Structure formats: C-alpha cells, structure tokens
Amino acid sequence: MGYLDDPENIKKLKKVFFTCLAILVLIDFIVPKHPHFSLERIPAFYAIYGFVACVSLVFMAKLLRKFIKRKEDYYDY
C-alpha cells in the first residue's frame, strides 16, 4: 500500500496544499508590485486569474466533448 492510498494522507496533503495557497495569496498583499496593466493592481489578481482560467478550460473541454465524442465501438468497424 502506497502513501497516497491512505485517505488520511490525502487529507494531510490537501491541508498542506491549501495552506501554501493561502500563504502565497497573503504574500501577494505584502510584496510590492510593478504592474504593467491596471488589472494587475487588484489584490490576488494572479490567483483569481489562474482560477478563472482553469475553470474556463474545464467548461470548454466539456463543451468540446459534445462535438468530438464518438461511440464506444467507433474503431471496431
């Protein structure tokens, strides 16, 4: 049995992961920025931008699946 097979270890890794994310977002408030665009002045802009981009990719993939999906026996003929 591997380390990641135990659900308790997965919970621990998630806690560490989300803690690191929170720390990075908090650091974004402290570190001085040199923005090129006005949107970059928004606190935690890059975290929000990354989240929105990731969610958009998932929804676009679901939409694309409707067009390119084939039946299970498509290659049998």
Side-chain angles (χ1 to χ4, degrees), residues 23-67:
I23 290 170
L24 288 172
V25 170
L26 291 175
I27 287 173
D28 193 38
F29 288 99
I30 299 168
V31 174
K33 300 177 192 172
H34 306 285
H36 296 284
F37 304 101
S38 61
L39 283 176
E40 293 178 73
R41 291 190 181 114
I42 297 172
F45 167 76
Y46 290 108
I48 296 167
Y49 178 77
F51 179 75
V52 169
C54 183
V55 170
S56 299
L57 279 174
V58 169
F59 283 117
M60 283 193 283
K62 283 186 171 186
L63 182 66
L64 185 62
R65 186 175 69 178
K66 292 180 181 179
F67 295 111

Side-chain angles (χ1 to χ4, degrees), residues 65-77:
R65 186 175 69 178
K66 292 180 181 179
F67 295 111
I68 63 172
K69 184 178 177 182
R70 300 287 181 240
K71 291 183 179 178
E72 195 170 307
D73 58 350
Y74 179 75
Y75 292 106
D76 291 344
Y77 298 109

Side-chain angles (χ1 to χ4, degrees), residues 1 3-12:
M1 188 168 169
Y3 180 77
L4 295 177
D5 291 331
D6 186 5
E8 283 298 316
N9 291 335
I10 298 293
K11 287 181 183 178
K12 290 176 187 174

